[in-house]
Amino acid sequence: MTSTTTPLKIRIDDSAGSPAPYEQLRAQIADRARSGRLPAGFKLPTVRGLAQELGLAANTVAKAYRALEEDGVVETRGRNGTFVAAGEGSSREAASAAQAYAERAHRLGLTREEALAAADAALRARYGR
C-alpha cells in the first residue's frame, strides 16, 4: 500500500482496488468537515498546492473540490480560496442526495411506493435494520 499524507492528514492509497484518488480526497475532506475536525471557515490548500503535496494531477484535486462544493461541504470565494462551508453540511448533502434519487426514480418510472421501497431496502442494508 502506497500512500501520501498532507498537513490535513489526507492519505491517498494508490494500491490496486482502492477508490479513485479524487474520491478518496473528497470523502476524507467531507468526513473531517462533518465531524468538525475541519471547522467552518477553514481555508483549504489551493488546488495546485494540494496536488503537489499529494503527488496528484491538479485536475484530480479540482474534481474533488467541485464535488465537495456541489455537496455544500466547501465554498469557493473566487481568488480568496476554498473554505469549509458553514452550516449543516451533512444535512445539505443528504437532502441533495435524496433530491437526486427522487428525480432519478421518477425518470425511471417508479411509483412513489416503489421508490420508497428501494430507498428503504438500501438504508436497511447499510444500517442493518
Side-chain angles (χ1 to χ4, degrees):
M1 174 173 107
T2 304
S3 66
T4 53
T5 305
T6 70
L8 290 173
K9 299 191 185 330
I10 300 292
R11 299 179 59 79
I12 302 299
D13 182 353
D14 63 0
S15 62
S18 296
Y22 93 89
E23 177 56 26
Q24 292 180 54
L25 179 58
R26 185 211 60 77
Q28 290 178 56
I29 291 173
D31 177 60
R32 285 170 177 80
R34 279 193 296 272
S35 71
R37 287 181 283 164
L38 288 179
F42 179 87
K43 185 175 181 179
L44 295 174
T46 65
V47 167
R48 287 186 182 167
L50 187 55
Q52 186 175 18
E53 287 179 43
L54 294 172
L56 298 172
N59 285 341
T60 300
V61 176
K63 184 176 182 179
Y65 277 21
R66 280 191 306 273
L68 289 162
E69 190 164 25
E70 288 172 11
D71 291 343
V73 176
V74 302
E75 58 188 14
T76 301
R77 300 178 190 162
R79 292 183 174 266
N80 292 323
T82 302
F83 298 81
V84 173
E88 292 295 319
S90 60
S91 294
R92 278 185 286 170
E93 187 175 344
S96 176
Q99 181 64 39
Y101 172 72
E103 290 173 11
R104 176 73 182 209
H106 183 72
R107 279 195 311 273
L108 291 171
L110 298 179
T111 66
R112 183 177 190 278
E113 292 73 25
E114 290 168 333
L116 285 170
D120 187 55
L123 289 168
R124 286 178 190 272
R126 178 65 178 125
Y127 290 97
R129 295 183 190 168

